[in-house]
Amino acid sequence: MKRRDLIKSGVIAVSAAAVGIAGYKKIEDYNSSSKKMSISPKQTDVYKICTPLPFRFELIDEIENLNSELKKSQIKILYNNFPYPLSSEFNWQFAAVRGRNYNINSFDDFARYVKYAQDKGFNFVYLLNSPKPFSEDDFNKYKKNLFVLLENLQSIGCREIKIANTQLMQIISKEKMGFKLSASTSFEYHNVSQYVNLINTYSSIKSINTAIDDNRNFIFLKNLKRLFPEIDIEVMVNEKCMHGCPARISHCASFFEAFPCMTLAEKTGKLKYFLKSNVVYPWQLEYYSAIGINTFKFMSYPMRADIDNLNFLKNYLMCLENGINNLTVSDFFNGIFEVGLSHIKNNVKLSEIMPYLPDMKHFVKNGDRCTNICGIDCNYCIKCAEKIGKIIGV
C-alpha cells in the first residue's frame, strides 16, 4: 500500500474511532441523565378532564354543576359510542362496546344526549376504538353503516374520533371527512417510535391517549411531549386493570371468552393487585403537569353504556380539589377507586397510610424499568401493600 493510502486509511480510522467515542459518550450521557431524572411536582395549568357521556340528562346537569365547584380542574370532554344492542349493526367491528342500554335504539336517541351536552359547552368525542383487525369482506359488509354513522356525527357537530386501528385511520383519512383523530389508549403502543410513525402518516391526529402501562414511565411521557408539543397527551387515571395484562388487546376488542382478570385479582389479593396497577392518585397529577401533560381521562364505574351515578368522577375530583383532610382509607379505596376491599378498619385516616402508598418519586427514577424488573429486582409495590395491609387489617 502506498504511503498516501496508508495516511488516508489512518485518517479514516481515527475519524471512525472519534465518531465511535462520540456516539458512546452520547449514549453514556443519556443513560446518566435518565438515572438522574427528577421532576418537581407542580400544577402548570387547569387540568382538562375527559369522562364518559352519561345517557341521562340529569347526570349531564350534574357534571355541569360539578364544574362550578372545581378550580383545579374542569370537565371539558365527554365521550361515548353506541351501546349494545344498537351497536350490533356493526357486529363488534370498529368500536369497543361497553355494556347494554335498551333506551338507545337509534342514532337520534344517542344524539339527544350529545346535543344536550354540546349545548352546555362540552366537547363530544365518538369512540371507534376497537383494536380488532377486520378483513376486506367484513369492511364491505359494514361500511355503509359506518359511513352513515360518520355523516350523522358530522351533522350534529361531532368532529373528533378516538381510534385504535390503523386500518380505520387509513380509511377515514382517505375519505378526507374532516375529522380530528385521537390515538386511543387501546392502540397499546409502548415506545416513541410507534407514535412517530403513526403521526408522520396521519396528520389529523391531534391527541395521543397513552396506554395505562406507561402511566409511570416518565422518560417515555416526557419525551413524547417533547416530540409532539402541539399534540394533546392524555393520561388515563382510574383504570384499575392489572399491570402487564396479557389480554389488553382482546379485552378492548371483545368480551367473548375474556381473560379471567378478577380471578387473578382474588388470587393475588385485591390490595396488592390495586397497588401494582397504574392508577394515578389525585395528588400525583402535579407530576404530569410539571412535564406539560394536563389532560386526564376517566373510565366509569358502572360501564359507560348505562352510567347511573358519577361517584367515580366526583370522589376523585373533590379529593383533588380539597386534599385528603378527613378522608378515611375506606373513602380512598372503596370511594375514589372502588377497589372493593372488605373488613377495612373504618377509623383509619388516609393520612396514616400516605407514607406507604407507592410514591411517584420512585417511578420518576425507575418507572421506565417497571415492565422488566417488577417482581424480579423490584418488589416496591408489594412491600407497600404489606405495610398498608397491617395498618388497615386486610
Side-chain angles (χ1 to χ4, degrees):
M1 184 180 291
K2 296 180 180 179
R3 184 174 180 273
R4 184 176 61 185
D5 293 334
L6 281 169
I7 294 171
K8 184 178 179 181
S9 62
V11 169
I12 292 171
V14 169
S15 300
V19 169
I21 292 168
Y24 174 77
K25 187 175 186 304
K26 287 179 183 177
I27 294 170
E28 187 177 46
D29 287 347
Y30 170 77
N31 287 338
S32 176
S33 64
S34 67
K35 288 175 184 176
K36 293 177 182 177
M37 181 180 180
S38 64
I39 295 175
S40 299
K42 179 184 178 182
Q43 183 168 1
T44 58
D45 202 351
V46 175
Y47 301 138
K48 183 168 68 174
I49 304 300
C50 176
T51 192
L53 168 76
F55 298 126
R56 298 172 191 246
F57 296 120
E58 68 275 15
L59 292 184
I60 299 173
D61 290 340
E62 195 173 337
I63 293 175
E64 182 183 36
N65 292 334
L66 180 59
N67 262 348
S68 67
E69 300 178 47
L70 301 172
K71 294 180 181 178
K72 293 183 178 180
S73 65
Q74 284 289 289
I75 303 154
K76 296 287 190 180
I77 305 166
L78 303 180
Y79 67 89
N80 216 320
N81 57 351
F82 284 175
Y84 183 85
L86 180 58
S87 61
S88 60
E89 66 182 61
F90 299 104
N91 193 32
W92 299 94
Q93 302 289 345
F94 314 129
V97 179
R98 291 293 176 260
R100 302 167 183 262
N101 191 321
Y102 294 102
N103 296 317
I104 308 295
N105 298 306
S106 67
F107 181 83
D108 287 341
D109 290 338
F110 180 85
R112 285 192 306 146
Y113 299 98
V114 175
K115 289 188 282 190
Y116 188 78
Q118 289 171 327
D119 288 343
K120 290 182 174 293
F122 295 107
N123 182 34
F124 176 74
V125 179
Y126 193 87
L127 304 184
L128 287 172
N129 63 332
S130 173
K132 179 181 180 182
F134 48 85
S135 67
E136 186 176 1
D137 288 342
D138 285 334
F139 176 67
N140 288 332
K141 189 173 181 179
Y142 299 106
K143 71 177 181 180
K144 181 180 177 181
N145 291 347
L146 173 65
F147 285 115
V148 167
L149 169 63
L150 293 173
E151 289 166 3
N152 284 337
L153 289 172
Q154 285 185 323
S155 73
I156 61 170
C158 173
R159 296 285 178 175
E160 188 166 346
I161 304 171
K162 290 187 187 290
I163 299 182
N165 181 312
T166 54
Q167 292 173 298
L168 198 55
M169 277 199 170
Q170 181 76 358
I171 289 162
I172 291 176
S173 296
K174 275 184 179 179
E175 294 295 323
K176 301 187 185 303
M177 300 185 75
F179 285 102
K180 294 178 182 177
L181 305 181
S182 286
S184 169
T185 57
S186 298
F187 263 123
E188 285 298 311
Y189 287 169
H190 299 291
N191 67 66
V192 169
S193 296
Q194 288 173 304
Y195 284 110
V196 169
N197 293 330
L198 185 74
I199 290 166
N200 282 346
T201 306
Y202 304 109
S203 60
S204 297
I205 294 175
K206 304 302 179 187
S207 171
I208 292 172
N209 307 170
T210 53
I212 61 168
D213 270 5
D214 292 312
N215 277 6
R216 294 168 169 177
N217 185 347
F218 282 93
I219 290 177
F220 169 77
L221 293 172
K222 188 174 182 179
N223 284 340
L224 202 60
K225 189 62 183 175
R226 285 172 61 196
L227 263 178
F228 305 112
E230 302 305 317
I231 290 180
D232 204 21
I233 309 295
E234 188 174 290
V235 170
M236 172 79 83
V237 297
N238 72 330
E239 189 168 12
K240 305 187 298 281
C241 290
M242 63 186 292
H243 179 76
C245 175
R248 288 293 296 174
I249 297 294
S250 62
H251 270 186
C252 294
S254 171
F255 282 137
F256 178 67
E257 293 294 347
F259 183 78
C261 297
M262 291 304 100
T263 302
L264 190 57
E266 294 291 344
K267 184 177 179 181
T268 305
K270 286 184 178 179
L271 181 58
K272 292 179 181 178
Y273 186 92
F274 173 73
L275 293 186
K276 283 185 67 175
S277 72
N278 288 282
V279 299
V280 182
Y281 310 145
W283 54 88
Q284 294 175 333
L285 297 189
E286 292 181 337
Y287 282 87
Y288 300 88
S289 187
I291 60 172
I293 296 174
N294 286 293
T295 303
F296 301 101
K297 180 181 175 183
F298 285 76
M299 65 176 293
S300 64
Y301 306 101
M303 288 189 288
R304 63 175 181 259
D306 194 13
I307 300 168
D308 61 5
N309 70 82
L310 298 175
N311 292 339
F312 70 93
L313 182 66
K314 288 194 300 184
N315 291 336
Y316 190 105
L317 294 181
M318 294 315 293
C319 176
L320 172 64
E321 196 72 20
N322 300 320
I324 67 166
N325 290 340
N326 302 319
L327 290 181
T328 67
V329 167
S330 184
D331 292 330
F332 177 72
F333 287 117
N334 297 334
I336 294 174
F337 288 108
E338 300 189 26
V339 179
L341 289 179
S342 56
H343 311 299
I344 290 177
K345 293 178 182 177
N346 291 327
N347 60 341
V348 180
K349 296 288 188 182
L350 179 55
S351 57
E352 294 181 53
I353 68 162
M354 279 286 287
Y356 309 108
L357 285 168
D359 192 332
M360 219 39 121
K361 292 176 184 175
H362 171 84
F363 300 108
V364 168
K365 293 180 179 178
N366 302 293
D368 61 311
R369 301 190 295 153
C370 282
T371 53
N372 297 317
I373 66 172
C374 182
I376 305 164
D377 296 321
C378 181
N379 287 291
Y380 174 68
C381 297
I382 296 299
K383 290 177 180 177
C384 289
E386 290 170 351
K387 290 173 184 175
I388 292 170
K390 290 177 181 178
I391 297 171
I392 67 176
V394 297

